[in-house]
Amino acid sequence: DAKTTQPPSMDCAEGRAANLPCNHSTISGNEYVYWYRQIHSQGPQYIIHGLKNNETNEMASLIITEDRKSSTLILPHATLRDTAVYYCIVRVYNQGGKLIFGQGTELSVKP
Amino acid sequence: EPEVTQTPSHQVTQMGQEVILRCVPISNHLYFYWYRQILGQKVEFLVSFYNNEISEKSEIFDDQFSVERPDGSNFTLKIRSTKLEDSAMYFCASSEEAGKTTNEKLFFGSGTQLSVL
């Protein structure tokens, strides 16, 4: 699975959009981009995933560049409850396969 | 929304003792996992389980560890002789509803904090 690079930490003002970047320059054509988050040592929580098209769900939007070498997770209106560690994971879709977590980005949403 | 349930939330044990961590995965899921997270470190994969056998395991998952699905609902992690370095948060996860493709969404439990003294 391709390696990802994320900034170790970011701040965001409450109510503003949080834009979390992820670099995955060695991504292969059949690898998906997944985002999970972990709120204060709780179990990781799925947010969103995509292959090459931009995706949106009730939690967030995922923007993948045309060359697929980087992506951005967007939380449109961050709240204090969005303070968490956000993990960008790149992997081939493999039913039942494991997820490998990196260090992630620690997002602090401030009032 | 269905959820993965883990018990106990906290477990304290003496070094050398056996512990069993329990998990109830989401009822119609097919794949089950254990992860651990040592304080301040990243979440680490231990083992995945499918069709009543281990499908993949990491280097961490040595002979001291075992997993079992003793009935249709529970999934357990046993550590035979605990060491100080086994102190960590242990997360259970499950994925893939039977008959559906859910694109690898893993659902995690809230964890069991294991403290080995």
Side-chain angles (χ1 to χ4, degrees), chain A residues 32 34 36 38 41-46 49 87 91-103, chain B residues 31 33 35 37 41-43 45 48 55-56 89 91 95-96 100-106 108-110:
Chain A
Y32 286 74
Y34 288 82
Y36 280 73
Q38 187 177 25
S41 297
Q42 295 177 21
Q45 176 190 25
Y46 168 84
H49 75 281
Y87 300 99
R91 57 190 302 277
V92 175
Y93 171 67
N94 178 18
Q95 193 173 47
K98 63 183 184 288
L99 289 173
I100 299 297
F101 291 85
Q103 298 293 347
Chain B
Y31 295 87
Y33 314 79
Y35 285 77
Q37 187 174 31
Q41 299 187 22
K42 60 185 181 181
V43 178
F45 169 77
S48 58
S55 50
E56 192 171 1
M89 180 75 87
F91 295 109
S95 71
E96 302 298 334
K100 293 186 179 180
T101 299
T102 53
N103 281 333
E104 292 295 302
K105 292 182 199 177
L106 268 67
F108 287 80
S110 54

Side-chain angles (χ1 to χ4, degrees), chain B residues 4 13 21 25 31 33-34 36-38 56 60 62 64 74 81-82 87 91 96 106-107 116:
Chain B
V4 176
T13 190
L21 309 183
Y31 295 87
Y33 314 79
W34 283 101
R36 80 172 186 189
Q37 187 174 31
I38 295 170
E56 192 171 1
I60 303 167
D62 61 21
Q64 294 297 315
N74 291 285
S81 178
T82 50
S87 294
F91 295 109
E96 302 298 334
L106 268 67
F107 294 82
V116 182

Side-chain angles (χ1 to χ4, degrees), chain B residues 13-77:
Chain B
T13 190
Q14 296 291 325
M15 189 170 56
Q17 294 295 305
E18 174 184 287
V19 294
I20 297 176
L21 309 183
R22 303 182 189 279
C23 169
V24 179
I26 294 172
S27 62
N28 56 353
H29 279 187
L30 301 175
Y31 295 87
F32 313 112
Y33 314 79
W34 283 101
Y35 285 77
R36 80 172 186 189
Q37 187 174 31
I38 295 170
L39 185 64
Q41 299 187 22
K42 60 185 181 181
V43 178
E44 300 175 290
F45 169 77
L46 292 178
V47 66
S48 58
F49 191 86
Y50 170 71
N51 200 25
N52 283 321
E53 60 182 26
I54 291 173
S55 50
E56 192 171 1
K57 61 183 180 179
S58 71
E59 293 177 352
I60 303 167
F61 194 88
D62 61 21
D63 292 343
Q64 294 297 315
F65 292 88
S66 62
V67 288
E68 191 179 29
R69 188 155 163 81
D71 52 44
S73 59
N74 291 285
F75 180 52
T76 62
L77 174 70

